[in-house]
Amino acid sequence: MKLLLIEDEPAVVSVITRGLTEAGYEVSVAPDGATGLKLALDNHSFTLIILDVMLPGLNGIEVCKAIRGAAIATPILMLTALGTTENIVMGLDSGADDYLVKPFKLAELEARIRSLLRRKSNAAVPVINSSLLQMGNLSLDTDTKAATRAGNNIQLTATEYRLLEFLLKNPRRVLSRMEILEQVWGIDFNMNTKVVDVYINYLRKKINKNNQPELIQTVTGLGYMMKETTPDEDTA
């Protein structure tokens, strides 16, 4: 499988290239954002892109946005020394599929790559029958990817769509933050679970417009549950 590594630190490039080559991957390297973007745009045969955030010239966020703006769906794994929740959310919002904080172990990088490739493989399986997920007056069509509530369209990002789909497929079940991370982001390690809280808030704002009742309930100390509330129940 062909991977594109966009990274300017020679020591990091050396470790990643040697490790992934030994694991059977073919690795192409770009030392800056502009070169990496050109390779990504000109060569659609890459199976996955490993993208550093702090790059000379164009930074990783700009490169990621440009790749997604060109309608290239190749999985992107972002690398950075900035591990705050805000930076993680910024990277994911720019179009990255996963986010790995430096320093990291090569075994973890390889596991993240395998996880992203599994997600890509599963996503490539066509849906034969139309499927409509519903909770109260909220509907999600998994064929058209369209979400509506009380007849009003809801515009969702790709991550928000996957989150809502997972919640609706598991109604009235408590879902931990780690389980949500693993299923929605495909992350198998202890990444900052505050990312889940941030995206739950994003989703709530969109599906609760016009004073609609809360459907995503917070279960204190445990996680979240998708269910309708009765008038005498407190909403989260």
Side-chain angles (χ1 to χ4, degrees), residues 9-25:
E9 295 182 43
V12 177
V13 170
S14 176
V15 170
I16 292 178
T17 302
R18 183 173 63 252
L20 294 184
T21 299
E22 290 176 355
Y25 298 101

Side-chain angles (χ1 to χ4, degrees), residues 89-109:
V89 170
M90 185 184 300
L92 296 173
D93 278 351
S94 71
D97 297 277
D98 198 355
Y99 199 100
L100 188 57
V101 178
K102 297 177 181 178
F104 54 83
K105 294 183 179 179
L106 186 61
E108 182 176 1
L109 174 63

Side-chain angles (χ1 to χ4, degrees), residues 17 27 51 53 64 74 82 132 144 146 150 158 164 186 190 209 234:
T17 302
V27 184
L51 173 62
V53 172
C64 190
T74 304
L82 307 174
L132 191 66
T144 64
L164 181 57
N190 191 18
K209 282 186 177 180
D234 292 330

